Amino acid sequence: MEAVGEKWREIVRWLGIVVVICTSARGECDFPAIFNFGDSNSDTGAISAAFAPAPPPNGITFFHAPAGRFSDGRLIIDFLAKSFGLPYLSAYLDSVGSNFSSGANFATAGSTIRPQNTSISQSGYSPISLDVQFMQFSNFKTRTQLIRQQGGVFKELLPKKKHFSQALYTFDVGQNDLTAGYKLNFTTQQVKAYVPDVLAQFSEFIKGVYGEGGRSFWIHNTGPLGCLPYMLDRYPMIAARIGCAKPFNEVAKYFNHKLKEAVAQLRKEMPEAAITYVDVYTVKYTLISNAQKYGFEDGVIACCGHGGKYNFNNKARCGATKRVNGTEVVTAKSCKDPSVRIIWDGIHYTEAANKWIFQQIVNGSFSDPATSLKMACHG
Ligand SMILES: *[C@@H]1O[C@H](CO)[C@@H](O)[C@H](O)[C@H]1NC(C)=O
Ligand SMILES: *[C@@H]1O[C@H](CO)[C@@H](O)[C@H](O)[C@H]1NC(C)=O
Ligand SMILES: *[C@@H]1O[C@H](CO)[C@@H](O)[C@H](O)[C@H]1NC(C)=O
Ligand SMILES: *[C@@H]1O[C@H](CO)[C@@H](O)[C@H](O)[C@H]1NC(C)=O
Ligand SMILES: *[C@@H]1O[C@H](CO)[C@@H](O)[C@H](O)[C@H]1NC(C)=O
């Protein structure tokens, strides 16, 4: 009897070891840091630090003051960081109160993948396009290691060297490359025609990050541009279904189709990388077109704004006080309850919408491959 018991204990011990080996091979990723790149969909303070701060009522719901984000509260990247128990990302450009020990955010509102030939004051597009974000990242990586050696508070505020290869690299960019063409009065055909060049530059950038040691990539595709009031307001003649302008969404879908192809190619060229493509478009479109079903009201009507069909006036955007027609001075204010709105200011999403979107994408249901966020380090 004793011998049989021994044998069983031996087998159980073996099974235990096998289980441990298997789960550690495909276990949850332990990302010590996040490095993010992109536009206002994930800017947590860069444009506010470098140019003009996001005015109140931005931030009212969660931070209770403007917090460098174009939203009433948190962005998808905030929920993403929180899900790993990491602090909200400091913007690389923010010199006040930043702590980069768990990553940095290089995204700036108005960023494009391709550098634009217009200044921020002419067109509103950020001069910190993706190529510049890469240079900043590369510089950050080199300099933080030099400065960290000084010890003390620097050691506490700057990331460890190994964090650059262990980190999750996240991306949400492309939307502004599409709107930039329309702003130059390009036709949809003309906008589509330059998409391959935009994505060629995107791929170069991803390869650059890989060259710097990045291995885990989480790439959002671009959202339904044609459902945003700033596009609907600017091009009112474009026919709308569920309140969304189809041609703009077609362009976004075309971009996403090409992005997915570019990602497939990158997987071949970067054999050690784990790249997850995340279909944020479908999640956002589903939410907007079924707002009531998910507890929201007014799919495309902005919460913070002033007047017009979509509560959006480009001359008096959220938080602005402007003389709209000679005499009348208006302030674009928040709606009563941002928690039941999807669109915050005509361009960006509310905290409630961002949270909902994050909950949809976190488990991998909209990922290719079907990888959940916590497994995004596995190829
Ligand atoms: C910086 O953030 C890290 C990680 O959250 C934390 O442990 C550390 O105390 C922070 N340092 C300072 C000086 O705030
Ligand atoms: C900016 O101008 C250069 C030179 O004409 C051109 O090659 C480039 O494509 C332009 N960029 C954009 C985004 O239009
Ligand atoms: C585009 O068209 C509008 C309306 O005709 C015009 O006001 C604007 O100057 C044009 N923009 C460019 C860059 O040509
Ligand atoms: C412009 O002013 C008039 C008179 O005060 C007002 O009736 C009208 O609604 C204003 N237009 C806008 C766009 O606010
Ligand atoms: C992922 O999460 C969403 C939202 O909670 C849920 O509707 C969906 O069924 C989940 N999918 C999987 C594969 O678990």
Side-chain angles (χ1 to χ4, degrees), residues 87 99 101-102 156-157:
N99 183 341
S101 60
S102 309
E156 243 184 76
L157 293 174

Side-chain angles (χ1 to χ4, degrees), residues 100-124:
F100 299 115
S101 60
S102 309
N105 191 355
F106 297 88
T108 77
S111 284
T112 48
I113 293 169
R114 294 199 303 178
Q116 298 299 303
N117 292 322
T118 51
S119 72
I120 190 167
S121 59
Q122 289 169 316
S123 62

